[in-house]
Amino acid sequence: MSLGPLMIDLQGTTITAEERELLHHPLVGGVILFTRNYVDPEQLTALVAAIHAERSPPLIVAVDQEGGRVQRFIPGFSRLPPARLIGHAFDQDAKGGLELARRTGWLMAAELRSHGVDISFAPVVDLDYGVNEAIGSRALHKRCEVVGQLAVAYMHGMRDAGMAATAKHFPGHGAVTADSHHVLPVDRRELVDMADDLSPYRRLIANGLPSVMVAHIVFPALDAAPASLSSGWIRDVLRGELRFQGVVFADDLSMGGAAAAYGDVVTRAQKALAAGCDMLPVCNNRASVVALLDGLKVEPEPASRLRLVRLHGRDGMSRQALQSLPEWTHSQELLTRYATTPALKLEGAGKP
């Protein structure tokens, strides 16, 4: 059975009988995990193995494990720094900041791969304009050239650990004050004014970026629809102008920014897929998942399914073997060293 375009969630720390039936639906292609799905490393390993065993090819298992305030698994995992700390390290010493970015990406990915998790939705490459609290310290820097350099280093660290990176939130979430988790933001800049926001994506794509997550934000200069439902943004700009060939995720279709736009969840999903998205996360709303499995009609796209299969993680090793590596020791030393840095506010940045 090929991987479908929906990524769904689970209610607890094991798979229920009802959820097992959902996971076998041909429209499902992945599972996203949250803090509620985690007890300890041993339980996580068992849960991910059980998810993978349900289908062939295995379902993609994902999590948001950025670091800072967005880290779903904490007990038993390294405490990862907020992205802003990496940017601050770069301001103090560019070489040291790039090393910290690569080591942090490697450590995050290597720990997850030791438990079988395929992908983490990272790095955030939104610019820190100092106006969006939903982004805040999740942003690497306010300058696009620095974000590009650090994001590439972070992506390479993830790649070294056997995990595909996902850059988010295309084409940029940093310049709006509204939080797309709750409402639909509108960014009224002209396209020429968004060159800096797109710059990190250009650099990442040139370095083989595997995956992108598209934001629920309207940019009227290009399209009246949110970027996540816009063929102008996905097919024309991302795949056309920027020549991106990897996987396109929409941001969570249950978020307020998505719910505010264009009909019920089935209609939104159909529009997102028609616009060029490959996979649609649907989180914390089981009724929406059921409605999609009952009502979403899609034609299989072989190219899209092939892109999804390439997201499966590789080269995982046991936690014990991981912790015996010199890279592990070096990464821990770097995190300890930079964690003592007192200032997280970047020069010129506004309210975090």
Side-chain angles (χ1 to χ4, degrees), residues 8-9 15 24 35 56 101 113 169 196 291:
I8 69 174
D9 57 356
I15 305 171
H24 282 265
T35 300
S56 181
R113 290 297 305 128
H169 306 80
D196 284 355

Side-chain angles (χ1 to χ4, degrees), residues 21-335:
E21 184 176 347
L22 297 178
L23 295 183
H24 282 265
H25 195 288
L27 287 177
V28 174
V31 174
I32 182 169
L33 300 178
F34 292 90
T35 300
R36 67 174 180 271
N37 306 122
Y38 180 71
V39 176
D40 55 38
E42 292 74 20
Q43 172 269 332
L44 178 62
T45 299
L47 176 59
V48 175
I51 295 169
H52 282 155
E54 290 295 331
R55 294 266 293 271
S56 181
L59 297 168
I60 297 164
V61 179
V63 68
D64 285 303
Q65 190 84 341
E66 301 169 16
R69 59 189 168 89
V70 182
Q71 181 170 342
R72 306 305 187 200
F73 310 145
I74 294 179
F77 279 78
S78 299
R79 196 66 171 93
L80 301 169
R84 180 174 290 171
L85 186 145
I86 300 174
H88 179 74
F90 183 94
D91 285 342
Q92 303 304 308
D93 169 27
K95 183 178 179 181
L98 289 169
E99 182 183 18
L100 179 62
R102 186 160 189 155
R103 288 290 99 212
T104 303
W106 177 86
L107 180 63
M108 179 274 291
E111 287 191 337
L112 291 175
R113 290 297 305 128
S114 74
H115 302 287
V117 177
D118 293 297
I119 59 171
S120 173
F121 290 122
V124 171
V125 298
D126 301 312
L127 304 188
D128 185 8
Y129 289 102
V131 299
N132 191 297
E133 294 186 359
I135 302 302
S137 62
R138 299 167 68 193
L140 287 161
H141 209 275
K142 69 186 182 74
R143 302 206 315 268
C144 63
E145 65 273 14
V146 177
V147 172
Q149 291 181 66
L150 293 174
V152 167
Y154 193 99
M155 176 181 73
H156 285 163
M158 293 178 67
R159 183 185 299 168
D160 292 343
M163 180 177 287
T166 302
K168 61 186 186 185
H169 306 80
F170 181 83
H173 202 312
V176 293
T177 57
D179 181 354
S180 60
H181 288 89
H182 306 296
V183 297
L184 180 62
V186 179
D187 189 328
R188 300 192 181 280
R189 291 178 295 167
E190 296 298 322
L191 295 183
V192 67
D193 298 323
M194 296 188 61
D196 284 355
D197 299 77
L198 296 179
S199 175
Y201 290 97
R202 294 183 188 275
R203 186 185 290 258
L204 285 161
I205 290 167
N207 281 271
L209 177 66
S211 178
V212 164
M213 179 173 281
V214 185
H216 303 310
I217 300 177
V218 173
F219 299 86
L222 181 64
D223 198 330
S228 55
L229 311 184
S230 168
S231 61
W233 277 114
I234 297 170
R235 297 191 187 276
D236 297 342
V237 177
L238 183 58
R239 295 215 183 275
E241 178 186 342
L242 301 183
R243 300 182 182 276
F244 177 65
Q245 298 181 16
V247 172
V248 177
F249 285 90
D251 211 341
D252 175 14
L253 280 191
S254 295
M255 287 167 54
Y262 304 99
D264 62 19
V265 69
V266 175
T267 301
R268 297 195 303 269
Q270 289 172 333
K271 288 181 178 291
L273 293 172
C277 290
D278 296 297
M279 182 163 273
L280 313 176
V282 186
C283 310
N284 305 309
N285 192 325
R286 183 55 56 82
S288 289
V289 170
V290 173
L292 284 165
L293 298 184
D294 288 342
L296 183 61
K297 307 300 181 185
V298 297
E299 293 294 328
E301 292 203 17
S304 180
R305 302 300 164 252
L306 179 59
R307 287 193 288 265
L308 290 174
V309 168
R310 290 172 178 164
L311 289 184
H312 284 125
R314 56 174 178 78
D315 300 339
M317 64 179 69
S318 70
R319 178 59 70 93
Q320 182 178 3
L322 178 64
Q323 293 179 347
S324 69
L325 295 176
E327 292 90 338
W328 169 272
T329 302
H330 181 53
S331 298
Q332 297 295 332
E333 290 172 349
L334 274 181
L335 290 186

